[in-house]
Amino acid sequence: MTRKRCYLRFATLLAGLLSAAACLDFGFYDRMCPAAETIVQQTVADAFRNNSGVAPALIRLHFHDCFVRGCDGSVLIDSTTNPNNTAEKDAPPNNPSLRFFDVIDRAKAAVEAQCPGVVSCADILAFAARDSVVLSGGLGYQLPAGRRDGRISRDTDALNDLPPPFFNATQLADSFASKNLTVEDLVVLSGAHTIGVSHCSSFAGVPDNPADRLYNFSSPEKIDPALSKAYAFLLKSICPSNSSQFFPTTTTLMDLITPDKLDNKYYVGLTNNLGLFISDAALLTNATMKALVDSFVRSEATWKAKFARSMLKMGQIGVLTGTQGEIRRNCRVVNPAPRTAAGVHRVVAGSDSSGFTGVAAS
Ligand code: HEM
Ligand SMILES: *[C@@H]1O[C@H](CO)[C@@H](O)[C@H](O)[C@H]1NC(C)=O
Ligand SMILES: *[C@@H]1O[C@H](CO)[C@@H](O)[C@H](O)[C@H]1NC(C)=O
Ligand SMILES: *[C@@H]1O[C@H](CO)[C@@H](O)[C@H](O)[C@H]1NC(C)=O
Ligand SMILES: *[C@@H]1O[C@H](CO)[C@@H](O)[C@H](O)[C@H]1NC(C)=O
Ligand SMILES: *[C@@H]1O[C@H](CO)[C@@H](O)[C@H](O)[C@H]1NC(C)=O
Ligand SMILES: *[C@@H]1O[C@H](CO)[C@@H](O)[C@H](O)[C@H]1NC(C)=O
Ligand SMILES: *[C@@H]1O[C@H](CO)[C@@H](O)[C@H](O)[C@H]1NC(C)=O
C-alpha cells in the first residue's frame, strides 16, 4: 500500500489536479525493491564514517540536482564528446566544487545488484541526502519516491538556474520562488551551510569576481563591511588575492563553530557577521528573512523540524514520474536511446550512429 503525497500541489487545487503526474509515493519500492533505502543508507553511512564531508557533499548534490531540470538525477550525468555535450556537473557552479559522486555510484551498484533497473538515480540521491541529514545530526524524514531519471544534462541550465553566492536578498527570493520555494524555505535551507566547505573563489578571488568580499570593496580595507573584520583577515590568509598564489583547490570550513554538525550555529555565526557568502549575509538585509534567522538562533528544534520539511519540499521540484524519463542503469550515463516499433533509433540532434546520446529529449 502506498500513500501519495504532492507537496507542491496546494498552490492551487486546479493546478494540482492537472499536475497529478508530479506525485511521488511513500513506500514506492516496497514491492519491487524493499531493501533500496537500507542499501543506500548503509553505503552513505560507510562513506561518512570514512569522511564526514560526504554529508554536506550529498546534500548539496541533491540541491543542485533539484534546482536544475528538477530532481531527475541530471547532475550525475557525465559530459560526453560524442555527441559533444558539457553536462551540468561541469558548469562553473558545480565543477570543481561538487564531490563524492562515487558514493552515489556505489549506492547505485549495490541497489542494482539486488533489483536491477528498478530504482532511479534521482531517488537514490534524494535518499542519500536525507541519510546525510540524519548522519550529521539533523532530523530524519520519510521520503516519498518514484522520481524518474532525466536524459538531458546541460551546463547552461546549471549556470542559469543555480543561485550564485553574490545574489542579494531579492535575487535569492526570486530564484527560490521560481522553484516554488518560499522565503522561509530560502532561510531554512541556507542553514545547510552549517556543514561543509567552500572554495576561495566563492567569496574571494581575483579582482572582478562579484562574489569577492575580501579584496574588491570600496571601503578602505576593501573588505565587505557586512563581514567580520577578524574573519576577513583569517580568510585572506587562507585565500591570498594574488592569483598565481591562489590555490584553486584550497577550501575553508563554512561554519567555524561546529563545522560538521547540522545545528543552528550557522544562524548564530550569521548574526555575528560570520556568514561566508554575500548570499548568506543577504539574509540579514530583509526584515522577513532576518526575523526567521533570529527565530532559528533562538530555537534549534524549530529550525531542524523546518529543515526536514523544506528538504522534503525541495525534493519534489519538477520531478519526472510514471512513464516520464527512465531508470538510468548507470547514474553517469543516459540509457541507450529508446527504439521505435520499427527498431530504428529515434533521431536526436547530436546523437551518434549508435543512437547513444547525452542530450536526447524524452
Ligand atoms: C541560497 C542560495 C545558495 C547559494 C548562493 C549557495 C552557494 C554555495 C556555495 C558557493 C558553496 C561553496 C561551493 C564551493 O566553493 O566549494 C556552497 C556550499 C554548500 N551548500 Fe550552498 N548555496 C545556497 C543554498 C544551499 C542549499 C539550499 C543547500 C542545501 C539544502 C546548500 C547546501 C550546501 C552545502 C551542504 C555546501 C557544502 C558542500 C561541500 O562541503 O561539499 N546550499 N553553497
Ligand atoms: C576512505 O578515505 C580514504 C582517504 O580519504 C580513501 O582513500 C578511501 O578510498 C576511502 N574509503 C572508502 C571505503 O570510502
Ligand atoms: C565541443 O564543444 C565545445 C564547446 O561548444 C567546443 O569548444 C569543442 O571544440 C567541441 N569539441 C568537439 C570535439 O567537437
Ligand atoms: C538586487 O540586485 C538586483 C539586480 O542587480 C537589483 O536590481 C536590486 O536593486 C538589488 N536589490 C537589493 C535589495 O539590493
Ligand atoms: C523581503 O523579501 C521579499 C522577497 O523578495 C519581499 O517580498 C519583501 O518585500 C522583502 N521585505 C522587506 C522588508 O524588504
Ligand atoms: C510551480 O508550480 C506551478 C503551479 O503549480 C507549476 O506549474 C510549476 O511547474 C511549478 N514549478 C516547479 C519548478 O516545480
Ligand atoms: C570589483 O571590481 C570591479 C572592477 O574593478 C568593479 O567593477 C566592481 O564594482 C567591484 N566590486 C565591488 C564590490 O567593489
Ligand atoms: C604574484 O606572486 C608571484 C609570485 O610570488 C609574483 O611573481 C607576481 O608578480 C605576483 N603577481 C601580482 C599581480 O602581484
Side-chain angles (χ1 to χ4, degrees):
M1 209 51 171
T2 61
R3 287 176 294 139
K4 292 207 174 241
R5 280 298 143 91
C6 320
Y7 286 90
L8 297 180
R9 272 219 287 190
F10 22 86
T12 74
L13 182 60
L14 183 60
L17 291 172
L18 293 175
S19 66
C23 285
L24 300 173
D25 296 342
F26 287 102
F28 184 82
Y29 296 114
D30 281 358
R31 294 179 64 186
M32 294 289 281
C33 195
E37 289 193 51
T38 308
I39 294 171
V40 173
Q41 198 279 335
Q42 283 169 355
T43 307
V44 174
D46 285 348
F48 177 83
R49 256 193 298 282
N50 199 28
N51 186 337
S52 64
V54 163
L58 297 182
I59 292 169
R60 184 164 184 250
L61 257 181
H62 183 47
F63 161 47
H64 282 207
D65 185 26
C66 293
F67 263 57
V68 185
R69 310 193 72 90
C71 314
D72 68 343
S74 53
V75 73
L76 304 171
I77 295 174
D78 282 345
S79 295
T80 53
T81 48
N82 185 15
N84 189 9
N85 181 55
T86 308
E88 289 171 26
K89 63 162 60 161
D90 289 321
N94 287 336
N95 188 350
S97 57
L98 290 184
R99 52 191 183 136
F100 290 115
F101 287 99
D102 60 300
V103 177
I104 300 301
D105 291 336
R106 284 206 293 281
K108 173 67 170 175
V111 167
E112 287 294 297
Q114 286 271 314
C115 14
V118 172
V119 184
S120 69
C121 297
D123 275 343
I124 288 174
L125 182 50
F127 291 143
R130 184 270 314 274
D131 299 335
S132 297
V133 169
V134 175
L135 285 163
S136 27
L139 215 57
Y141 46 97
Q142 291 291 313
L143 196 57
R147 296 166 190 78
R148 308 256 306 168
D149 293 325
R151 293 175 51 79
I152 302 173
S153 181
R154 294 197 193 102
D155 60 342
T156 47
D157 288 333
L159 209 51
N160 289 334
D161 282 16
L162 292 169
F166 51 81
F167 263 12
N168 66 30
T170 313
Q171 294 168 309
L172 290 170
D174 289 350
S175 163
F176 274 57
S178 75
K179 305 296 170 187
N180 291 333
L181 296 179
T182 64
V183 163
E184 179 170 296
D185 293 318
L186 163 65
V187 178
V188 166
L189 290 172
S190 293
H193 292 170
T194 188
I195 53 176
V197 299
S198 169
H199 290 72
C200 294
S201 53
S202 299
F203 58 87
V206 295
D208 284 341
N209 176 4
D212 184 4
R213 309 183 72 188
L214 304 181
Y215 301 105
N216 192 37
F217 271 76
S218 52
S219 57
E221 311 100 319
K222 308 267 186 222
I223 296 170
D224 182 347
L227 184 65
S228 148
K229 289 282 176 295
Y231 191 28
F233 288 120
L234 169 67
L235 292 172
K236 277 177 184 251
S237 74
I238 296 169
C239 308
S241 66
N242 185 321
S243 58
S244 59
Q245 295 168 349
F246 192 90
F247 290 98
T249 54
T250 302
T251 58
T252 186
L253 299 169
M254 294 204 294
D255 172 8
L256 294 177
I257 309 171
T258 49
D260 52 17
K261 272 261 161 294
L262 203 72
D263 57 15
N264 70 341
K265 295 297 187 289
Y266 163 80
Y267 300 100
V268 174
L270 191 56
T271 52
N272 286 287
N273 296 332
L274 298 173
L276 186 54
F277 306 135
I278 288 173
S279 59
D280 294 317
L283 304 180
L284 302 175
T285 66
N286 172 294
T288 309
M289 299 178 192
K290 170 74 160 55
L292 287 162
V293 168
D294 289 338
S295 75
F296 302 146
V297 169
R298 286 193 299 271
S299 173
E300 180 168 271
T302 301
W303 174 70
K304 282 190 177 183
K306 284 182 186 288
F307 187 72
R309 222 166 53 199
S310 291
M311 283 291 286
L312 193 55
K313 200 170 156 190
M314 185 176 82
Q316 328 270 319
I317 297 172
V319 291
L320 305 175
T321 55
T323 56
Q324 298 171 317
E326 63 186 17
I327 305 298
R328 222 177 283 145
R329 305 220 248 285
N330 172 346
C331 292
R332 295 175 179 269
V333 183
V334 297
N335 293 343
R339 288 163 185 276
T340 65
V344 177
H345 285 117
R346 197 172 295 175
V347 178
V348 183
S351 69
D352 67 9
S353 60
S354 76
F356 179 78
T357 169
V359 293
S362 67

